[in-house]
């Protein structure tokens, strides 16, 4: 095994990043002291995907007037499930 000299290392573990970034959004940015961040992520136990540690979260609100459904048409709900999970790029 090769050894490396390095400065202090830190680790940050969060939950629920695939659904709204609620884990990282709850972190106080002043707690982050590092200069380089590495994201280690995957949905498969025993495998790791190393990717960029960063992103943009955007929340947009807009008001739209309601309109009646045209005659002969109806609304439907579509659900897609049973797919493999994971981050973009993994």
């Amino acid at each position: 095994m090769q050894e490396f000299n390095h400065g202090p290392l830190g680790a940050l573990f969060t939950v629920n990043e695939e659904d709204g970034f609620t884990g990282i959004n709850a972190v106080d940015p002043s707690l982050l002291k590092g200069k380089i961040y590495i994201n280690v992520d995957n949905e498969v136990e025993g495998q790791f995907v190393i990717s960029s540690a960063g992103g943009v979260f955007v929340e947009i609100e807009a008001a739209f007037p309601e309109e009646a459904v045209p005659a002969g048409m109806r609304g439907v709900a579509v659900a897609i499930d049973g797919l493999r999970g994971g981050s973009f790029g993994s």
Side-chain angles (χ1 to χ4, degrees):
M1 176 190 314
Q2 187 171 1
E3 294 186 19
F4 296 93
N5 291 326
H6 58 79
L9 300 176
L12 172 66
F13 298 89
T14 61
V15 296
N16 202 30
E17 300 312 323
E18 309 305 332
D19 182 19
F21 297 106
T22 56
I24 195 64
N25 283 339
V27 174
D28 179 354
S30 70
L31 298 174
L32 303 176
K33 305 296 183 193
K35 294 181 182 179
I36 299 173
Y37 295 91
I38 300 172
N39 181 28
V40 180
D41 189 11
N42 203 350
E43 299 292 322
V44 179
E45 185 176 340
Q47 290 183 358
F48 297 97
V49 174
I50 299 175
S51 61
S52 64
V56 176
F57 179 80
V58 177
E59 186 173 324
I60 300 172
E61 293 184 25
F64 296 94
E66 289 188 24
E67 295 183 14
V69 176
M73 300 184 85
R74 63 186 171 112
V76 297
V78 177
I80 300 173
D81 60 14
L83 303 175
R84 292 181 63 196
S87 298
F88 292 110
S90 63

